[in-house]
């Protein structure tokens, strides 16, 4: 974060609790664990709706072979060949023993793999989970926690669930 960006964010200190600007301020100046406790004890109704929409429309059908055509249509692929179900399954299997994640999150990451994320960025699952730039590997900054760090915090999974559907990778 540049000095100018930091100065701009400092101006949000006295904004009202609950405002987006105050959340931005807190994301920079509160200790991460405190920030998670303040904003991610549970998903907001909007965050929950976003997560559920992704899970119902894309993720769940991607993991049920009889519904693959439905997922392809919902996601907007031109053909079933555009999604790599083998890579999706491989990544999901690598996550099966990850007890800090629920099944939905494991499947979401599997879906991310099937959509070509790891191939595009030439990353392994392990490298991605230990990468400070996991949200957007295109950026060359080191100012985020890794997924492995996030999952070690109480409420970290809720934070991750809000970030995964918002990743720049999905903007097409």
């Amino acid at each position: 974060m540049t000095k100018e960006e930091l100065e701009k964010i400092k101006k949000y200190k006295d904004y009202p609790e609950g405002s987006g600007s105050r959340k931005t301020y807190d994301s920079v100046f509160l200790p991460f664990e405190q920030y998670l406790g303040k904003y991610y004890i549970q998903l907001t109704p909007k965050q929950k709706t976003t997560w559920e929409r992704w899970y119902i429309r894309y993720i769940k059908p991607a993991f049920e072979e009889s519904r693959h055509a439905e997922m392809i249509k919902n996601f907007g692929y031109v053909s079933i060949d555009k999604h790599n179900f083998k890579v999706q399954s491989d990544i999901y299997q690598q996550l099966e023993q990850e007890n800090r994640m629920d099944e939905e999150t494991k499947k979401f990451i599997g879906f991310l793999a099937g959509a070509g994320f790891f191939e595009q960025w030439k990353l392994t699952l392990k490298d991605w989970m230990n990468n400070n730039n996991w949200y957007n590997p295109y950026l060359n900054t080191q100012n985020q926690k890794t997924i492995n760090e996030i999952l070690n915090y109480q409420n970290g999974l809720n934070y991750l669930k809000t970030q995964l559907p918002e990743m720049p990778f999905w903007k097409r």
Side-chain angles (χ1 to χ4, degrees), residues 17-153:
E17 289 294 337
S19 69
S21 295
R22 180 56 188 253
K23 185 176 180 181
T24 299
Y25 174 85
D26 288 345
S27 73
V28 173
F29 293 101
L30 276 181
F32 191 66
E33 187 168 20
Q34 206 174 337
Y35 173 73
L36 291 178
K38 185 172 183 179
Y39 293 100
Y40 294 96
I41 289 176
Q42 60 187 16
L43 300 180
T44 66
K46 182 180 178 189
Q47 292 166 336
K48 188 172 184 180
T49 299
T50 299
W51 182 260
E52 288 172 352
R53 188 186 76 230
W54 270 84
Y55 190 74
I56 290 166
R57 293 197 70 203
Y58 312 126
I59 312 305
K60 197 170 182 183
F63 280 86
E64 295 176 23
E65 191 170 347
S66 65
R67 296 179 67 196
H68 284 178
E70 174 189 343
M71 184 278 294
I72 296 302
K73 181 182 175 224
N74 289 346
F75 198 65
Y77 283 130
V78 293
S79 114
I80 199 163
D81 298 333
K82 298 296 179 185
H83 191 84
N84 191 329
F85 293 99
K86 180 175 180 351
V87 169
Q88 172 183 291
S89 178
D90 291 347
I91 293 294
Y92 173 73
Q93 287 176 3
Q94 289 178 45
L95 289 168
E96 279 190 309
Q97 301 304 314
E98 176 54 72
N99 59 8
R100 299 172 298 172
M101 288 183 200
D102 59 15
E103 285 302 303
E104 290 181 359
T105 306
K106 293 173 189 179
K107 286 181 177 181
F108 192 105
I109 294 170
F111 181 79
L112 179 68
F117 177 81
F118 295 104
E119 180 182 359
Q120 177 179 330
W121 296 110
K122 311 273 188 276
L123 290 169
T124 66
L125 175 64
K126 182 180 177 182
D127 290 342
W128 180 64
M129 289 185 63
N130 289 311
N131 189 328
N132 293 88
N133 299 327
W134 64 270
Y135 181 80
N136 188 3
Y138 178 77
L139 295 178
N140 195 19
T141 59
Q142 297 292 319
N143 58 0
Q144 271 193 85
K145 302 261 184 230
T146 69
I147 291 175
N148 275 321
E149 290 171 321
I150 292 166
L151 290 172
N152 286 329
Y153 288 100

